[in-house]
Amino acid sequence: MSLASRWAALSPAIRQAAVDSARDRVGVPDLLDRSLWESRPALAVLAQAAEDRGQPWPRLLLSDYARYWRDGVRTAYENPAGELRRRTSTAVLAAVLTADERYVDEAADGLLLLCEQTTWCWAAHESFATARGEVVADSPYLDLGAAETVEILAWADLVLGPALDDRVPGLRRRLREEADRRVLRPFLEDRRWHWLGLDGHLHNWNPWIHGHVLVAALFLETDVVRRMQVVDLVVDGLDRYLGALPADGGCDEGFAYWWNGPARLASALEVLDRITLGALDPWTVEPMPELARYPQRMALGDGWYVNVGDGSARPSPDQPWDVLHRWGRRTGDREVMAQAAAHRDQSTAAVVGLGRALVALVDDDWLQAAVVPLPLPRSSWLPDVQLLVARQSGGSAEGWALAVKGGHNDENHNHNDVGSFIAALDAVPVLMDLGQPTYTAISFSDRRYEQWVVRSEWHNVPVVDGREQEAGSQWRAADFAVRGSSEASLDLSTAYPGGKLRRTVTLDRRAAAIRVVDTGTSFEEHFVIAGHPVAHEPGRLVVETLGGSVAELHWDSALGTGQLEKRVVDDAMLLRVWGPAVHRLIIAGSNNRFELTMTRGHR
């Protein structure tokens, strides 16, 4: 039964009680419940809040907002706007943890600054002002920025309501007015927002925004009829997203965006489950059990992950792992719980979102969970998204790990990477996927593929008949076959404008090696390398990995050394992951066949 069907099957009385009693049922008490908050372990939050109080509040400037149109820079405005949200959330957390009036005042200052923003929408998403040829956005635009902001107002009102009434009477009225004008009314009155997915195109914006709209309605909307209208529409929207997800639990946006797609969905469903006192039970709706297994399937170890599209190979460790832990508890999946518990020592930080941080702080099962090793499955095959991940030994990050990707070139956050693969040694990528660069004005425009990191020539795929891959759903893998849990064979002819190519990639566990064999018409191999080349000769390249291991690449010495290029990395996001430079090895194929073998090397 679908999510929408389960919601509709609840009696009107149950649904009404859920919506009317949401503030009590969500399970996060307000500041006055000192018996709970005084026992919460949150030293990192309090240390950050104390540090914040000595700093000026972020300044949001029109000139920074306008840079998106002037020179394509998004971060000049988005970074301080994000810091304002983060600091306000931290102050709210510190206030409920300590009941210190100084932090209540600090939270109130941040909340009013959020209300005073001309727009909550990020410049890259705003189209109303753009249509007028302007950069001053004065009409509510319901995007990720608006959703992230209203989420803070909603949870702050839930946990600080009485204290705000005492210290700053009138602020809560202002919170409700801004939430109504900027979020709830646009959500109810305009159903053209692209992230609703009414055209069938679903991505992470859907659960991300719907989840925040849900808590805004439950905690800030005073009209019971409108509150129910919003909740009904949220359930419908989440159901649409669930229905578009692959049955194998894969995520074409990758692990980093999984936290803002399926994990956002889980957070929203958890709110609905709590307010219905478990009557909704969304955790068995397909493909929820499989979605929860995605992080363990993508983990390489030591903070490294298999990344696709705009995903980072080394995403921030500050993730709401408690969300995954509760998800595993509800589905009875011990390996999901173990994947989360391996990160239990991560601090509860405001960067994961105010609501997520508050829920984590009242989850005793999570706070008391024993830190355990990562599950690290021996092999995972996701046929719907066409992704094979195999490692040398299950449960261990030591040795080789291989990920082979099929798919097509019109995926969410797409890179032209059909048939590309990642080879990691001792958890650290050697032949890698660069992942997400810093977003600019061209990142999601018709100029997207001017960026070097998204082009196929900077992925581990050949150039065929002098042509690289192009963007579009027609460019895809065919006949993707998996043999013995560690070999992938796929036809890449349909991923290129011309020529023929078949690729077979194998993790040979017995030989502790990875082997790549390409056959077809004229092609030129491209391999993107992380780490430091230390020896290069005909048929051989030795690389010291970013983790300190040594990998050797071998090919037919008759093909020579190939061309080894060094590219300086000047993008801040890529620099953090890969260091100041990456390399690319280019080798011409011979006799329509090419074979590469990767083994562990020695110093």
Side-chain angles (χ1 to χ4, degrees):
M1 185 183 293
S2 71
L3 177 68
S5 298
R6 292 186 184 212
W7 177 252
L10 299 177
S11 71
I14 290 177
R15 293 200 303 272
Q16 195 65 56
V19 172
D20 291 348
S21 305
R23 292 179 69 94
D24 297 323
R25 291 182 173 186
V26 78
V28 180
D30 65 30
L31 175 148
L32 299 181
D33 192 343
R34 302 313 309 152
S35 62
L36 176 77
W37 293 117
E38 288 172 353
S39 63
R40 300 297 99 179
L43 295 178
V45 171
L46 298 180
Q48 182 64 64
E51 180 182 335
D52 288 345
R53 290 192 68 248
Q55 304 297 322
W57 283 92
R59 297 177 65 202
L60 304 182
L61 303 177
L62 176 60
S63 57
D64 289 335
Y65 196 80
R67 286 193 63 183
Y68 175 78
W69 292 277
R70 292 174 178 171
D71 56 18
V73 173
R74 295 176 49 162
T75 53
Y77 183 87
E78 288 180 17
N79 285 353
E83 177 61 12
L84 174 57
R85 295 193 302 273
R86 198 275 316 155
R87 179 168 172 178
T88 302
S89 299
T90 300
V92 173
L93 291 170
V96 297
L97 287 165
T98 66
D100 189 326
E101 291 180 342
R102 293 174 300 174
Y103 286 129
V104 176
D105 288 348
E106 173 94 348
D109 286 341
L111 290 167
L112 188 61
L113 285 171
L114 292 173
C115 289
E116 288 292 312
Q117 284 184 252
T118 297
T119 181
W120 289 344
C121 177
W122 300 340
H125 304 156
E126 219 289 340
S127 62
F128 295 162
T130 302
R132 301 192 301 267
E134 299 176 355
V135 300
V136 179
D138 56 4
S139 300
Y141 194 101
L142 184 46
D143 76 325
L144 297 178
E148 287 280 275
T149 305
V150 82
E151 186 252 3
I152 297 170
L153 271 56
W155 287 98
D157 187 87
L158 177 72
V159 295
L160 293 185
L164 295 177
D165 283 341
D166 178 58
R167 298 289 292 175
V168 283
L171 177 60
R172 296 179 73 195
R173 174 184 54 78
R174 178 70 183 278
L175 302 184
R176 283 168 167 73
E177 289 173 351
E178 297 298 338
D180 180 69
R181 181 174 71 86
R182 300 179 192 241
V183 173
L184 296 177
R185 198 182 308 161
F187 180 72
L188 282 170
E189 297 177 0
D190 191 341
R191 305 299 293 166
R192 295 173 297 174
W193 304 108
H194 71 86
W195 48 267
L196 294 173
L198 297 175
D199 61 354
H201 181 207
L202 279 299
H203 50 80
N204 66 70
W205 281 38
N206 178 291
W208 196 341
I209 297 178
H210 274 115
H212 292 338
V213 170
L214 173 65
V215 295
L218 293 176
F219 303 158
L220 296 175
E221 176 58 66
T222 58
D223 186 308
V224 294
V225 174
R226 293 182 82 228
R227 194 186 308 147
M228 181 63 80
Q229 289 175 336
V230 172
V231 175
D232 284 341
L233 288 172
V234 165
V235 171
D236 179 70
L238 295 176
D239 182 71
R240 194 177 305 115
Y241 178 73
L242 257 171
L245 292 172
D248 61 15
C251 178
D252 68 357
E253 297 177 279
F255 170 78
Y257 273 99
W258 180 91
W259 289 106
N260 286 323
R264 293 283 183 184
L265 171 68
S267 293
L269 294 181
E270 185 174 5
V271 170
L272 290 168
D273 200 32
R274 286 175 179 231
I275 66 175
T276 60
L277 302 180
L280 183 62
D281 186 25
W283 308 106
T284 55
V285 176
E286 296 298 335
M288 289 299 293
E290 290 297 326
L291 285 172
R293 299 181 182 121
Y294 189 77
Q296 64 183 274
R297 291 166 169 169
M298 297 302 108
L300 294 172
D302 195 30
W304 292 95
Y305 285 82
V306 173
N307 62 310
V308 297
D310 276 347
S312 172
R314 199 169 178 82
S316 169
D318 289 323
Q319 304 293 352
W321 290 101
D322 62 293
V323 172
L324 185 63
H325 195 260
R326 287 190 298 278
W327 196 344
R329 276 148 46 193
R330 284 161 173 79
T331 58
D333 193 321
R334 293 186 177 276
E335 286 202 346
V336 169
M337 294 168 62
Q339 177 71 21
H343 302 84
R344 227 284 293 134
D345 55 357
Q346 295 298 135
S347 63
T348 301
V351 293
V352 304
L354 179 56
R356 284 171 156 180
L358 285 165
V359 172
L361 283 169
V362 298
D363 184 356
D364 288 329
D365 287 338
W366 165 248
L367 296 175
Q368 296 166 13
V371 177
V372 297
L374 289 170
L376 297 176
R378 187 169 185 263
S379 180
S380 298
W381 165 231
L382 303 176
D384 295 322
V385 295
Q386 294 189 333
L387 184 63
L388 171 68
V389 181
R391 67 181 65 255
Q392 204 164 313
S393 300
S396 172
E398 186 176 352
W400 286 105
L402 170 69
V404 185
K405 179 188 179 300
H408 60 82
N409 281 338
D410 192 30
E411 295 167 343
N412 290 312
H413 294 273
N414 182 67
H415 289 203
N416 289 340
D417 60 358
V418 175
S420 189
F421 70 97
I422 295 168
L425 181 60
D426 301 333
V428 183
V430 182
L431 297 185
M432 47 82 156
D433 185 303
L434 286 155
Q436 180 192 345
T438 301
Y439 287 154
T440 67
I442 74 169
S443 297
F444 299 100
S445 72
D446 56 8
R447 297 177 56 197
R448 176 176 177 82
Y449 295 94
E450 294 178 15
Q451 303 173 101
W452 64 285
V453 297
V454 305
R455 298 171 67 115
S456 70
E457 66 176 7
W458 276 95
H459 288 80
N460 298 314
V461 292
V463 169
V464 178
D465 281 356
R467 303 281 295 276
E468 61 180 306
Q469 294 181 17
E470 298 180 5
S473 61
Q474 70 271 34
W475 309 113
R476 58 178 59 238
D479 190 24
F480 196 133
V482 174
R483 300 183 183 92
S485 82
S486 61
E487 180 179 284
S489 179
L490 60 168
D491 187 349
L492 298 181
S493 304
T494 49
Y496 291 87
K500 299 291 183 182
L501 183 70
R502 185 163 193 93
R503 164 164 282 185
T504 300
V505 191
T506 307
L507 170 60
D508 187 332
R509 294 189 173 100
R510 180 174 298 178
I514 288 177
R515 201 162 38 251
V516 183
V517 178
D518 288 338
T519 56
T521 52
S522 174
F523 55 85
E524 180 183 78
E525 296 288 352
H526 286 214
F527 300 109
V528 186
I529 300 163
H532 313 287
V534 295
H536 187 204
E537 59 191 31
R540 178 173 176 262
L541 176 67
V542 181
V543 178
E544 182 180 354
T545 75
L546 295 176
S549 301
V550 177
E552 293 198 11
L553 284 66
H554 298 270
W555 60 95
D556 184 353
S557 60
L559 298 176
T561 61
Q563 178 182 346
L564 184 63
E565 303 175 345
K566 177 180 179 180
R567 177 147 190 163
V568 174
V569 175
D570 57 3
D571 180 279
M573 291 191 69
L574 297 177
L575 182 65
R576 181 186 66 80
V577 179
W578 305 116
V582 296
H583 294 79
R584 180 172 63 171
L585 178 64
I586 301 176
I587 307 172
S590 175
N591 299 321
N592 302 327
R593 186 181 188 280
F594 178 86
E595 181 172 339
L596 177 81
T597 301
M598 302 182 67
T599 60
R600 183 187 292 276
H602 302 283
R603 286 184 174 79

